[in-house]
Amino acid sequence: MEKTGVLTLIEVKKINQKRVYEFLYRQKTASKLEIANAINVSLPTVASSLNALIAQGLVSNCGVYDSTGGRKAQIFCCNALARIAIGVELLKERVQIVAVDLYGNTLDEDFLELGFENEASYYSKLGEWINQFVKALPYTDEQNLGVCISLQGLISDDGETITYSEILKCTGVSRSTYQKYIDYPVSLVHDTEAAAQAEVWYRDDITDDAVYIALNRNLGGTLILGNRSDTFKRNGLIEHITLDPDGPLCYCGKQGCAETFCSANSLKEKAGMEFPEFFKKVHGGDSRCSKLWKSYLHYLARLI
């Protein structure tokens, strides 16, 4: 059927349901009147939308407000457990997993000492562990939005292929490689981009462009443009900006990248000790460790 540009009644109802749900999600709780006034729709429209959302299990009746003399107004709220999501972080030495509700609250978490290998045996062990974790949760498959795997590597625009991963050495591996062993829908995301997206999601004060820098074992960074996360192209990644063309060799093959000066790994390697001991010496006035720390901060400031 050809589109006429006029919304159908069903489309209008879906739009109203979406507006009601989004307002309730932000406010946590509200009455019909509060919703109607906030999104500028009629009370019958709000009531109809709420009934539909309740039927879908997305919204619940959470009690009543204190009486002000008349009939007590009902309180409505989002059902945070209507959907859950599983997040998995792949690192070289271990794997971490977390289950969260619609507000990002942690429902359960675990970790596995499993060193990364681009081998079928690794993907099989990983999939078995993820499946066991999910099946042990007290939630149905219908509630599960799927498994998102965060890793140290760039992902193609269609989300199907790891286009660059020198740290894990898994360039070219496809999403289907993971999906083969996992019983739930799988998606892949660059770890730094996932962290930046989380910042945008949790923080209301990020309303415009920003730069996210992760001071992890390996340095990470991404742009947040127009209140959303956009990674740089491969040759413009923040961690591979050249700070000194004659500097140390980076895992990417270039010399003097920010990674070689501003990552936790680089500082630890130069210090030759674990961080608790290193910072104890910095605070104690040790000249060598203090010099290394000042050098780290100098290069970090230059990068920023």
Side-chain angles (χ1 to χ4, degrees):
M1 182 180 293
E2 186 177 347
K3 287 273 186 180
T4 62
V6 178
L7 294 174
T8 66
L9 182 59
I10 293 176
E11 290 172 330
V12 171
K13 285 183 176 180
K14 287 183 177 180
I15 290 172
N16 286 330
Q17 287 176 26
K18 184 174 185 290
R19 294 179 65 201
V20 169
Y21 182 82
E22 289 179 343
F23 176 78
L24 256 185
Y25 182 86
R26 292 192 304 270
Q27 296 297 119
K28 301 291 196 300
T29 62
S31 68
K32 291 179 184 177
L33 183 60
E34 288 172 332
I35 298 171
N37 289 338
I39 66 175
N40 195 28
V41 297
S42 69
L43 277 172
T45 296
V46 171
S48 175
S49 296
L50 286 172
N51 288 336
L53 291 168
I54 290 172
Q56 297 170 53
L58 296 172
V59 169
S60 302
N61 188 319
C62 302
V64 294
Y65 287 103
D66 293 335
S67 176
T68 57
R71 185 178 178 181
K72 293 183 179 180
Q74 291 181 313
I75 303 173
F76 296 92
C77 60
C78 284
N79 177 11
L81 293 175
R83 302 289 184 272
I84 68 165
I86 309 299
V88 177
E89 182 181 27
L90 298 189
L91 299 171
K92 288 179 70 174
E93 307 86 3
R94 67 189 307 198
V95 188
Q96 299 177 182
I97 192 169
V98 62
V100 297
D101 66 15
L102 287 175
Y103 282 107
N105 299 310
T106 299
L107 303 172
D108 199 2
E109 58 187 335
D110 199 4
F111 69 90
L112 177 67
E113 298 295 344
L114 181 66
F116 183 87
E117 292 181 277
N118 187 11
E119 303 287 345
S121 58
Y122 172 85
Y123 298 116
S124 177
K125 290 177 185 176
L126 177 69
E128 181 180 358
W129 179 66
I130 292 172
N131 292 335
Q132 289 177 350
F133 175 86
V134 177
K135 285 179 172 60
L137 297 172
Y139 310 105
T140 66
D141 288 349
E142 289 71 26
Q143 289 172 276
N144 189 355
L145 293 171
V147 177
C148 184
I149 297 176
S150 163
L151 49 83
Q152 294 170 296
L154 301 183
I155 313 299
S156 61
D157 290 341
D158 62 6
E160 291 297 318
T161 308
I162 300 170
T163 58
Y164 181 75
S165 180
E166 278 299 304
I167 295 175
L168 297 180
K169 302 295 182 184
C170 61
T171 299
V173 171
S174 67
R175 184 191 63 81
S176 61
T177 301
Y178 291 91
Q179 187 67 78
K180 180 179 178 181
Y181 301 98
I182 299 173
D183 297 337
Y184 309 92
V186 172
S187 57
L188 303 178
V189 64
H190 183 205
D191 58 352
T192 306
E193 183 178 351
Q197 288 173 342
E199 289 291 327
V200 172
W201 192 55
Y202 276 110
R203 293 178 53 174
D204 294 330
D205 58 334
I206 302 179
T207 58
D208 207 340
D209 299 348
V211 179
Y212 177 85
I213 298 178
L215 304 180
N216 295 329
R217 295 179 183 181
N218 292 103
L219 186 68
T222 185
L223 288 179
I224 297 172
L225 301 175
N227 203 13
R228 66 189 182 91
S229 174
D230 275 350
T231 53
F232 283 102
K233 298 299 182 184
R234 174 179 167 182
N235 63 355
L237 289 163
I238 290 174
E239 56 266 36
H240 297 298
I241 291 175
T242 301
L243 297 182
D244 181 355
D246 297 318
L249 183 67
C250 180
Y251 65 77
C252 74
K254 297 194 303 179
Q255 283 184 265
C257 293
E259 163 71 22
T260 67
F261 293 103
C262 303
S263 67
N265 279 345
S266 68
L267 179 59
K268 181 180 175 181
E269 184 178 342
K270 291 167 186 172
M273 64 188 78
E274 298 296 328
F275 283 128
E277 181 184 0
F278 172 74
F279 284 110
K280 184 177 180 180
K281 289 192 174 185
V282 170
H283 294 305
D286 181 90
S287 59
R288 175 178 172 273
C289 290
S290 296
K291 184 177 179 180
L292 285 174
W293 180 234
K294 288 179 181 178
S295 175
Y296 173 87
L297 294 177
H298 164 78
Y299 281 108
L300 180 59
R302 178 186 289 187
L303 170 64
I304 293 171

PDB file of all heavy atoms in Angstrom, residues 198-224:
ATOM      1  N   ALA A 198      27.621   4.543  27.670  1.00  0.00           N
ATOM      2  CA  ALA A 198      27.128   4.446  29.044  1.00  0.00           C
ATOM      3  C   ALA A 198      27.161   5.806  29.733  1.00  0.00           C
ATOM      4  O   ALA A 198      26.238   6.166  30.482  1.00  0.00           O
ATOM      5  CB  ALA A 198      27.954   3.433  29.837  1.00  0.00           C
ATOM      6  N   GLU A 199      28.227   6.576  29.494  1.00  0.00           N
ATOM      7  CA  GLU A 199      28.320   7.916  30.069  1.00  0.00           C
ATOM      8  C   GLU A 199      27.155   8.788  29.607  1.00  0.00           C
ATOM      9  O   GLU A 199      26.528   9.499  30.396  1.00  0.00           O
ATOM     10  CB  GLU A 199      29.645   8.578  29.691  1.00  0.00           C
ATOM     11  CG  GLU A 199      30.865   7.982  30.366  1.00  0.00           C
ATOM     12  CD  GLU A 199      30.894   8.253  31.847  1.00  0.00           C
ATOM     13  OE1 GLU A 199      30.423   9.324  32.286  1.00  0.00           O
ATOM     14  OE2 GLU A 199      31.388   7.385  32.592  1.00  0.00           O
ATOM     15  N   VAL A 200      26.867   8.736  28.302  1.00  0.00           N
ATOM     16  CA  VAL A 200      25.767   9.529  27.743  1.00  0.00           C
ATOM     17  C   VAL A 200      24.435   9.081  28.347  1.00  0.00           C
ATOM     18  O   VAL A 200      23.562   9.898  28.670  1.00  0.00           O
ATOM     19  CB  VAL A 200      25.729   9.393  26.206  1.00  0.00           C
ATOM     20  CG1 VAL A 200      24.478  10.042  25.634  1.00  0.00           C
ATOM     21  CG2 VAL A 200      26.972  10.036  25.596  1.00  0.00           C
ATOM     22  N   TRP A 201      24.280   7.781  28.522  1.00  0.00           N
ATOM     23  CA  TRP A 201      23.025   7.220  29.023  1.00  0.00           C
ATOM     24  C   TRP A 201      22.769   7.604  30.478  1.00  0.00           C
ATOM     25  O   TRP A 201      21.662   7.945  30.860  1.00  0.00           O
ATOM     26  CB  TRP A 201      23.064   5.706  28.865  1.00  0.00           C
ATOM     27  CG  TRP A 201      21.751   5.027  29.083  1.00  0.00           C
ATOM     28  CD1 TRP A 201      20.565   5.291  28.450  1.00  0.00           C
ATOM     29  CD2 TRP A 201      21.474   3.969  30.004  1.00  0.00           C
ATOM     30  NE1 TRP A 201      19.578   4.446  28.913  1.00  0.00           N
ATOM     31  CE2 TRP A 201      20.112   3.622  29.863  1.00  0.00           C
ATOM     32  CE3 TRP A 201      22.257   3.262  30.917  1.00  0.00           C
ATOM     33  CZ2 TRP A 201      19.516   2.614  30.618  1.00  0.00           C
ATOM     34  CZ3 TRP A 201      21.656   2.248  31.652  1.00  0.00           C
ATOM     35  CH2 TRP A 201      20.303   1.940  31.498  1.00  0.00           C
ATOM     36  N   TYR A 202      23.847   7.568  31.291  1.00  0.00           N
ATOM     37  CA  TYR A 202      23.697   7.819  32.724  1.00  0.00           C
ATOM     38  C   TYR A 202      23.713   9.304  33.080  1.00  0.00           C
ATOM     39  O   TYR A 202      23.152   9.708  34.096  1.00  0.00           O
ATOM     40  CB  TYR A 202      24.815   7.122  33.505  1.00  0.00           C
ATOM     41  CG  TYR A 202      24.543   5.669  33.805  1.00  0.00           C
ATOM     42  CD1 TYR A 202      25.260   4.657  33.175  1.00  0.00           C
ATOM     43  CD2 TYR A 202      23.580   5.293  34.733  1.00  0.00           C
ATOM     44  CE1 TYR A 202      25.021   3.316  33.448  1.00  0.00           C
ATOM     45  CE2 TYR A 202      23.335   3.956  35.022  1.00  0.00           C
ATOM     46  CZ  TYR A 202      24.059   2.970  34.381  1.00  0.00           C
ATOM     47  OH  TYR A 202      23.817   1.650  34.657  1.00  0.00           O
ATOM     48  N   ARG A 203      24.361  10.119  32.272  1.00  0.00           N
ATOM     49  CA  ARG A 203      24.589  11.518  32.660  1.00  0.00           C
ATOM     50  C   ARG A 203      23.755  12.477  31.823  1.00  0.00           C
ATOM     51  O   ARG A 203      23.828  12.488  30.602  1.00  0.00           O
ATOM     52  CB  ARG A 203      26.078  11.849  32.509  1.00  0.00           C
ATOM     53  CG  ARG A 203      26.966  11.109  33.485  1.00  0.00           C
ATOM     54  CD  ARG A 203      28.431  11.424  33.273  1.00  0.00           C
ATOM     55  NE  ARG A 203      28.698  12.855  33.282  1.00  0.00           N
ATOM     56  CZ  ARG A 203      29.928  13.376  33.240  1.00  0.00           C
ATOM     57  NH1 ARG A 203      30.971  12.569  33.200  1.00  0.00           N
ATOM     58  NH2 ARG A 203      30.099  14.664  33.235  1.00  0.00           N
ATOM     59  N   ASP A 204      22.992  13.315  32.522  1.00  0.00           N
ATOM     60  CA  ASP A 204      22.151  14.306  31.845  1.00  0.00           C
ATOM     61  C   ASP A 204      22.940  15.553  31.438  1.00  0.00           C
ATOM     62  O   ASP A 204      22.444  16.367  30.649  1.00  0.00           O
ATOM     63  CB  ASP A 204      20.988  14.724  32.754  1.00  0.00           C
ATOM     64  CG  ASP A 204      20.025  13.572  33.010  1.00  0.00           C
ATOM     65  OD1 ASP A 204      19.903  12.700  32.131  1.00  0.00           O
ATOM     66  OD2 ASP A 204      19.415  13.546  34.098  1.00  0.00           O
ATOM     67  N   ASP A 205      24.152  15.718  31.997  1.00  0.00           N
ATOM     68  CA  ASP A 205      24.901  16.945  31.725  1.00  0.00           C
ATOM     69  C   ASP A 205      25.686  16.875  30.419  1.00  0.00           C
ATOM     70  O   ASP A 205      26.277  17.869  30.002  1.00  0.00           O
ATOM     71  CB  ASP A 205      25.844  17.270  32.887  1.00  0.00           C
ATOM     72  CG  ASP A 205      26.830  16.146  33.183  1.00  0.00           C
ATOM     73  OD1 ASP A 205      26.506  14.982  32.884  1.00  0.00           O
ATOM     74  OD2 ASP A 205      27.912  16.437  33.722  1.00  0.00           O
ATOM     75  N   ILE A 206      25.710  15.725  29.753  1.00  0.00           N
ATOM     76  CA  ILE A 206      26.358  15.640  28.444  1.00  0.00           C
ATOM     77  C   ILE A 206      25.300  15.923  27.391  1.00  0.00           C
ATOM     78  O   ILE A 206      24.560  15.035  26.968  1.00  0.00           O
ATOM     79  CB  ILE A 206      26.987  14.251  28.215  1.00  0.00           C
ATOM     80  CG1 ILE A 206      28.012  13.931  29.302  1.00  0.00           C
ATOM     81  CG2 ILE A 206      27.676  14.205  26.844  1.00  0.00           C
ATOM     82  CD1 ILE A 206      28.654  12.561  29.160  1.00  0.00           C
ATOM     83  N   THR A 207      25.212  17.173  27.001  1.00  0.00           N
ATOM     84  CA  THR A 207      24.156  17.596  26.065  1.00  0.00           C
ATOM     85  C   THR A 207      24.702  17.976  24.701  1.00  0.00           C
ATOM     86  O   THR A 207      23.937  18.284  23.795  1.00  0.00           O
ATOM     87  CB  THR A 207      23.389  18.793  26.650  1.00  0.00           C
ATOM     88  OG1 THR A 207      24.313  19.870  26.901  1.00  0.00           O
ATOM     89  CG2 THR A 207      22.702  18.407  27.962  1.00  0.00           C
ATOM     90  N   ASP A 208      26.013  17.967  24.553  1.00  0.00           N
ATOM     91  CA  ASP A 208      26.617  18.370  23.284  1.00  0.00           C
ATOM     92  C   ASP A 208      27.851  17.514  23.030  1.00  0.00           C
ATOM     93  O   ASP A 208      27.983  16.435  23.584  1.00  0.00           O
ATOM     94  CB  ASP A 208      26.969  19.862  23.332  1.00  0.00           C
ATOM     95  CG  ASP A 208      26.977  20.498  21.945  1.00  0.00           C
ATOM     96  OD1 ASP A 208      27.090  19.752  20.959  1.00  0.00           O
ATOM     97  OD2 ASP A 208      26.884  21.729  21.861  1.00  0.00           O
ATOM     98  N   ASP A 209      28.774  18.028  22.234  1.00  0.00           N
ATOM     99  CA  ASP A 209      29.984  17.280  21.907  1.00  0.00           C
ATOM    100  C   ASP A 209      30.884  17.108  23.140  1.00  0.00           C
ATOM    101  O   ASP A 209      30.940  17.979  24.009  1.00  0.00           O
ATOM    102  CB  ASP A 209      30.779  17.999  20.820  1.00  0.00           C
ATOM    103  CG  ASP A 209      29.987  18.136  19.529  1.00  0.00           C
ATOM    104  OD1 ASP A 209      28.931  17.487  19.409  1.00  0.00           O
ATOM    105  OD2 ASP A 209      30.423  18.894  18.653  1.00  0.00           O
ATOM    106  N   ALA A 210      31.572  15.982  23.190  1.00  0.00           N
ATOM    107  CA  ALA A 210      32.503  15.718  24.287  1.00  0.00           C
ATOM    108  C   ALA A 210      33.546  14.719  23.803  1.00  0.00           C
ATOM    109  O   ALA A 210      33.413  14.109  22.742  1.00  0.00           O
ATOM    110  CB  ALA A 210      31.760  15.166  25.508  1.00  0.00           C
ATOM    111  N   VAL A 211      34.608  14.585  24.580  1.00  0.00           N
ATOM    112  CA  VAL A 211      35.642  13.582  24.306  1.00  0.00           C
ATOM    113  C   VAL A 211      35.720  12.649  25.503  1.00  0.00           C
ATOM    114  O   VAL A 211      35.781  13.105  26.642  1.00  0.00           O
ATOM    115  CB  VAL A 211      37.024  14.229  24.073  1.00  0.00           C
ATOM    116  CG1 VAL A 211      38.081  13.149  23.827  1.00  0.00           C
ATOM    117  CG2 VAL A 211      36.971  15.191  22.900  1.00  0.00           C
ATOM    118  N   TYR A 212      35.683  11.343  25.219  1.00  0.00           N
ATOM    119  CA  TYR A 212      35.788  10.349  26.283  1.00  0.00           C
ATOM    120  C   TYR A 212      37.159   9.697  26.191  1.00  0.00           C
ATOM    121  O   TYR A 212      37.557   9.211  25.134  1.00  0.00           O
ATOM    122  CB  TYR A 212      34.697   9.285  26.140  1.00  0.00           C
ATOM    123  CG  TYR A 212      34.797   8.189  27.184  1.00  0.00           C
ATOM    124  CD1 TYR A 212      34.228   8.343  28.439  1.00  0.00           C
ATOM    125  CD2 TYR A 212      35.492   7.009  26.905  1.00  0.00           C
ATOM    126  CE1 TYR A 212      34.333   7.351  29.401  1.00  0.00           C
ATOM    127  CE2 TYR A 212      35.602   6.016  27.862  1.00  0.00           C
ATOM    128  CZ  TYR A 212      35.025   6.190  29.106  1.00  0.00           C
ATOM    129  OH  TYR A 212      35.136   5.214  30.063  1.00  0.00           O
ATOM    130  N   ILE A 213      37.901   9.685  27.304  1.00  0.00           N
ATOM    131  CA  ILE A 213      39.202   9.031  27.361  1.00  0.00           C
ATOM    132  C   ILE A 213      39.194   8.031  28.508  1.00  0.00           C
ATOM    133  O   ILE A 213      38.874   8.384  29.646  1.00  0.00           O
ATOM    134  CB  ILE A 213      40.344  10.046  27.555  1.00  0.00           C
ATOM    135  CG1 ILE A 213      40.405  11.007  26.358  1.00  0.00           C
ATOM    136  CG2 ILE A 213      41.676   9.332  27.721  1.00  0.00           C
ATOM    137  CD1 ILE A 213      41.472  12.073  26.479  1.00  0.00           C
ATOM    138  N   ALA A 214      39.522   6.781  28.204  1.00  0.00           N
ATOM    139  CA  ALA A 214      39.549   5.719  29.202  1.00  0.00           C
ATOM    140  C   ALA A 214      40.992   5.394  29.555  1.00  0.00           C
ATOM    141  O   ALA A 214      41.766   4.949  28.706  1.00  0.00           O
ATOM    142  CB  ALA A 214      38.844   4.472  28.658  1.00  0.00           C
ATOM    143  N   LEU A 215      41.356   5.620  30.811  1.00  0.00           N
ATOM    144  CA  LEU A 215      42.722   5.363  31.264  1.00  0.00           C
ATOM    145  C   LEU A 215      42.811   3.942  31.804  1.00  0.00           C
ATOM    146  O   LEU A 215      43.048   3.712  32.988  1.00  0.00           O
ATOM    147  CB  LEU A 215      43.123   6.394  32.331  1.00  0.00           C
ATOM    148  CG  LEU A 215      43.000   7.858  31.911  1.00  0.00           C
ATOM    149  CD1 LEU A 215      43.426   8.775  33.050  1.00  0.00           C
ATOM    150  CD2 LEU A 215      43.842   8.136  30.667  1.00  0.00           C
ATOM    151  N   ASN A 216      42.634   2.990  30.911  1.00  0.00           N
ATOM    152  CA  ASN A 216      42.678   1.578  31.276  1.00  0.00           C
ATOM    153  C   ASN A 216      44.063   1.005  31.033  1.00  0.00           C
ATOM    154  O   ASN A 216      45.004   1.734  30.732  1.00  0.00           O
ATOM    155  CB  ASN A 216      41.642   0.797  30.462  1.00  0.00           C
ATOM    156  CG  ASN A 216      40.230   1.222  30.807  1.00  0.00           C
ATOM    157  OD1 ASN A 216      39.937   1.607  31.928  1.00  0.00           O
ATOM    158  ND2 ASN A 216      39.339   1.150  29.827  1.00  0.00           N
ATOM    159  N   ARG A 217      44.171  -0.305  31.153  1.00  0.00           N
ATOM    160  CA  ARG A 217      45.450  -0.962  30.855  1.00  0.00           C
ATOM    161  C   ARG A 217      45.935  -0.539  29.471  1.00  0.00           C
ATOM    162  O   ARG A 217      47.104  -0.227  29.280  1.00  0.00           O
ATOM    163  CB  ARG A 217      45.289  -2.483  30.916  1.00  0.00           C
ATOM    164  CG  ARG A 217      44.950  -3.006  32.290  1.00  0.00           C
ATOM    165  CD  ARG A 217      44.769  -4.514  32.272  1.00  0.00           C
ATOM    166  NE  ARG A 217      44.364  -5.015  33.572  1.00  0.00           N
ATOM    167  CZ  ARG A 217      44.151  -6.306  33.844  1.00  0.00           C
ATOM    168  NH1 ARG A 217      44.320  -7.207  32.891  1.00  0.00           N
ATOM    169  NH2 ARG A 217      43.785  -6.686  35.056  1.00  0.00           N
ATOM    170  N   ASN A 218      45.022  -0.588  28.510  1.00  0.00           N
ATOM    171  CA  ASN A 218      45.285   0.010  27.205  1.00  0.00           C
ATOM    172  C   ASN A 218      44.450   1.273  27.096  1.00  0.00           C
ATOM    173  O   ASN A 218      43.276   1.281  27.454  1.00  0.00           O
ATOM    174  CB  ASN A 218      44.909  -0.959  26.079  1.00  0.00           C
ATOM    175  CG  ASN A 218      45.812  -2.171  26.023  1.00  0.00           C
ATOM    176  OD1 ASN A 218      45.440  -3.253  26.446  1.00  0.00           O
ATOM    177  ND2 ASN A 218      47.026  -1.998  25.519  1.00  0.00           N
ATOM    178  N   LEU A 219      45.057   2.338  26.622  1.00  0.00           N
ATOM    179  CA  LEU A 219      44.357   3.612  26.498  1.00  0.00           C
ATOM    180  C   LEU A 219      43.225   3.495  25.488  1.00  0.00           C
ATOM    181  O   LEU A 219      43.335   2.783  24.487  1.00  0.00           O
ATOM    182  CB  LEU A 219      45.351   4.682  26.050  1.00  0.00           C
ATOM    183  CG  LEU A 219      44.844   6.125  26.004  1.00  0.00           C
ATOM    184  CD1 LEU A 219      44.574   6.650  27.404  1.00  0.00           C
ATOM    185  CD2 LEU A 219      45.869   7.014  25.299  1.00  0.00           C
ATOM    186  N   GLY A 220      42.126   4.181  25.754  1.00  0.00           N
ATOM    187  CA  GLY A 220      41.019   4.201  24.803  1.00  0.00           C
ATOM    188  C   GLY A 220      40.421   5.588  24.728  1.00  0.00           C
ATOM    189  O   GLY A 220      40.523   6.373  25.665  1.00  0.00           O
ATOM    190  N   GLY A 221      39.777   5.886  23.604  1.00  0.00           N
ATOM    191  CA  GLY A 221      39.154   7.195  23.485  1.00  0.00           C
ATOM    192  C   GLY A 221      38.186   7.241  22.333  1.00  0.00           C
ATOM    193  O   GLY A 221      38.322   6.508  21.346  1.00  0.00           O
ATOM    194  N   THR A 222      37.179   8.076  22.451  1.00  0.00           N
ATOM    195  CA  THR A 222      36.210   8.249  21.378  1.00  0.00           C
ATOM    196  C   THR A 222      35.562   9.615  21.495  1.00  0.00           C
ATOM    197  O   THR A 222      35.581  10.239  22.544  1.00  0.00           O
ATOM    198  CB  THR A 222      35.127   7.149  21.433  1.00  0.00           C
ATOM    199  OG1 THR A 222      34.259   7.273  20.315  1.00  0.00           O
ATOM    200  CG2 THR A 222      34.313   7.229  22.700  1.00  0.00           C
ATOM    201  N   LEU A 223      35.018  10.087  20.387  1.00  0.00           N
ATOM    202  CA  LEU A 223      34.267  11.334  20.380  1.00  0.00           C
ATOM    203  C   LEU A 223      32.810  11.058  20.711  1.00  0.00           C
ATOM    204  O   LEU A 223      32.258  10.033  20.315  1.00  0.00           O
ATOM    205  CB  LEU A 223      34.328  11.988  19.004  1.00  0.00           C
ATOM    206  CG  LEU A 223      35.632  12.611  18.563  1.00  0.00           C
ATOM    207  CD1 LEU A 223      35.467  13.184  17.158  1.00  0.00           C
ATOM    208  CD2 LEU A 223      36.051  13.712  19.516  1.00  0.00           C
ATOM    209  N   ILE A 224      32.188  11.968  21.420  1.00  0.00           N
ATOM    210  CA  ILE A 224      30.743  11.955  21.616  1.00  0.00           C
ATOM    211  C   ILE A 224      30.219  13.176  20.868  1.00  0.00           C
ATOM    212  O   ILE A 224      30.436  14.306  21.271  1.00  0.00           O
ATOM    213  CB  ILE A 224      30.371  12.027  23.105  1.00  0.00           C
ATOM    214  CG1 ILE A 224      30.903  10.792  23.837  1.00  0.00           C
ATOM    215  CG2 ILE A 224      28.859  12.145  23.275  1.00  0.00           C
ATOM    216  CD1 ILE A 224      30.749  10.860  25.347  1.00  0.00           C
TER     217      ILE A 224
END
